[in-house]
Amino acid sequence: MAWTKYQLFLAGLMLTTGSLNTLSAKWADMFSAKGCRDDPEHEFAHPFVQAVGMFLGELSCIVVFYILLCHDRRRPERKMNPGQSFNPLLFFPPAMCDMTATCIMYVALNMTSASSFQMLRGAVIIFTGLLSVAFLGRRLVPSQWLGILTTILGLVIVGLSDFLSGHKDDTHKLSDIITGDLLIIMAQVIVAVQMVLEEKFVYKHDVHPLRAVGIEGFFGFFVLSLLLIPMYFIPVGDFGGNPRQVLEDALDAFCQIGHKPLILLALLGNTVSIAFFNFAGISVTKEISATTRMVLDSLRTLVIWAVSLALGWEQFQGLQVLGFIVLLVGTALYNGLHRPLLARIPCCAAMVNTEEAEDSPGERERLLGDGTVQNGDER
């Protein structure tokens, strides 16, 4: 069935804003500017400030929710389901997982390339699959286990590509690249915990996805903003990346923005893009399908890689392309995207029917981004 202009717009919006979200965060990391004191120019290394901006973008989703709700109430026939009443504190544990994972990933983005950052986030299906078996009593079908194994192979290839390119990289030290890659994979464990928590405790409540994203954004923004105060006094040595060598120097970040306003543009790009990306992703699921959303989310990795090459942010690595393809195959296998193709082959049709009978598409989609209350990979 041919897509409407609105559906094409939503797909384009999701792909564009999803790519801009990572690219703008990386762009901010590449700036150098003077700080509050008479320090020489230094890199804008403020991952926790960037994370606060990202949560501000998520928080804005709740504003969009109430705008849409008010608009719907003016219609003769209401089409929007506002959801039932619930305790907002249900979202606090997943929001803390989201906050922790986001901060770790922004620290890692300072250390590695934007394309590797996006590719390695594919590790989330490994930990989501394993945790769903352990804590939700799921049974993974053979193709999902194969998808997990394929994803592990893809991660090894991408990691090997980063290791080999680290010897030629002038912008990042090899030790930083390896540390950054490991931090990204570690963050996916926390993202998987977030998804399982949402599945176990939150999905039984009828909550509109934009409202859910906004509530988690509120908790993340409020708690992380408060944590910036003790972070200002915690010494971490060279790891801090700022003149005072503390965990996060928010005042230094604001001074650097004042000396180089383009940094603010990059941060605003990150904040605005995450809000539109959440809205577009949820709308794509509603107007087209969850499968389309998964495909578009994979395509944004390709866009990020291509733009990074075009801007000279990284060098071409054939091994990285192979790793991306293997990760793409792993994701497709895990999410059942191979089934429509195999169903057309007579000898494979029975196997596909067996898998579909054992697998629960609703459960799989909830865990991996169907636009319900889950927002684990919305960055």
Side-chain angles (χ1 to χ4, degrees):
M1 186 173 66
W3 285 9
T4 64
K5 290 181 179 179
Y6 180 60
Q7 289 173 330
L8 286 170
F9 167 75
L10 289 174
L13 183 66
M14 179 182 171
L15 185 59
T16 303
T17 54
S19 303
L20 279 175
N21 184 246
T22 298
L23 291 169
S24 59
K26 186 61 183 177
W27 186 34
D29 292 342
M30 299 177 73
F31 281 108
S32 292
K34 291 182 179 181
C36 297
R37 304 156 197 87
D38 294 328
D39 300 312
E41 283 197 359
H42 52 279
E43 292 181 354
F44 186 82
H46 297 285
F48 299 99
V49 171
Q50 285 182 282
V52 169
M54 192 281 296
F55 283 114
L56 181 60
E58 286 192 3
L59 174 58
S60 67
C61 288
I62 203 164
V63 179
V64 176
F65 166 74
Y66 283 111
I67 291 173
L68 292 176
L69 186 62
C70 290
H71 178 71
D72 185 68
R73 284 174 176 171
R74 294 178 181 176
R75 292 177 176 176
E77 295 183 8
R78 295 182 182 179
K79 297 181 179 180
M80 184 175 173
N81 177 19
Q84 65 188 59
S85 59
F86 61 95
N87 185 352
L89 289 176
L90 279 172
F91 287 91
F92 187 77
M96 292 304 95
C97 291
D98 191 11
M99 183 191 76
T100 306
T102 299
C103 290
I104 292 173
M105 285 191 282
Y106 276 140
V107 169
L109 187 57
N110 262 311
M111 301 178 173
T112 191
S113 65
S115 59
S116 293
F117 169 83
Q118 195 65 35
M119 290 179 194
L120 292 172
R121 290 175 67 179
V124 69
I125 69 169
I126 300 170
F127 306 113
T128 303
L130 296 177
L131 289 176
S132 66
V133 169
F135 296 103
L136 299 178
R138 293 271 154 73
R139 280 189 60 192
L140 299 183
V141 297
S143 64
Q144 289 178 312
W145 285 113
L146 182 58
I148 287 174
L149 293 174
T150 306
T151 300
I152 293 172
L153 176 61
L155 294 173
V156 171
I157 295 173
V158 172
L160 182 59
S161 170
D162 282 350
F163 178 78
L164 296 175
S165 66
H167 296 286
K168 310 171 188 176
D169 195 338
D170 298 328
T171 56
H172 301 99
K173 294 187 294 185
L174 178 59
S175 59
D176 285 347
I177 293 173
I178 295 172
T179 304
D181 288 355
L182 292 174
L183 284 174
I184 294 166
I185 294 173
M186 184 195 307
Q188 302 320 301
V189 180
I190 302 172
V191 172
V193 171
Q194 175 194 349
M195 291 181 180
V196 170
L197 283 174
E198 289 173 335
E199 170 74 5
K200 193 168 182 67
F201 299 109
V202 179
Y203 283 135
K204 58 187 177 182
H205 299 276
D206 181 18
V207 184
H208 191 280
L210 280 175
R211 191 180 185 186
V213 171
I215 292 171
E216 288 194 6
F218 167 78
F219 284 129
F221 177 78
F222 180 74
V223 173
L224 191 54
S225 295
L226 290 179
L227 287 177
L228 288 179
I229 299 171
M231 286 180 185
Y232 185 80
F233 300 100
I234 300 174
V236 292
D238 293 335
F239 181 78
N242 52 71
R244 294 182 60 248
Q245 297 187 329
V246 292
L247 187 56
E248 180 60 282
D249 189 343
L251 294 180
D252 182 66
F254 292 128
C255 289
Q256 285 189 290
I257 292 170
H259 286 117
K260 189 158 288 188
L262 272 178
I263 299 174
L264 180 60
L265 180 62
L267 296 178
L268 286 175
N270 188 34
T271 300
V272 173
S273 63
I274 191 64
F276 278 99
F277 179 61
N278 275 289
F279 170 75
I282 291 164
S283 300
V284 163
T285 301
K286 181 181 177 183
E287 299 291 336
I288 309 174
S289 69
T291 301
T292 303
R293 184 177 183 179
M294 294 173 195
V295 172
L296 290 171
D297 200 49
S298 298
L299 283 177
R300 71 175 172 137
T301 304
L302 184 62
V303 172
I304 290 166
W305 175 72
V307 172
S308 297
L309 285 177
L311 294 174
W313 290 0
E314 54 187 272
Q315 298 176 347
F316 178 83
Q317 294 288 330
L319 202 57
Q320 192 181 48
V321 179
L322 176 62
F324 170 65
I325 294 171
V326 174
L327 285 170
L328 205 59
V329 171
T331 303
L333 286 170
Y334 188 89
N335 290 308
L337 302 186
H338 63 291
R339 291 175 185 169
L341 297 175
L342 290 181
R344 297 181 181 182
I345 304 173
C347 61
C348 300
M351 180 184 70
V352 171
N353 291 334
T354 303
E355 277 201 354
E356 288 180 342
E358 294 178 2
D359 189 20
S360 172
E363 290 177 347
R364 182 184 66 250
E365 288 172 359
R366 283 202 301 271
L367 277 168
L368 287 173
D370 71 334
T372 52
V373 299
Q374 183 271 113
N375 71 309
D377 196 39
E378 300 308 301
R379 292 168 296 285

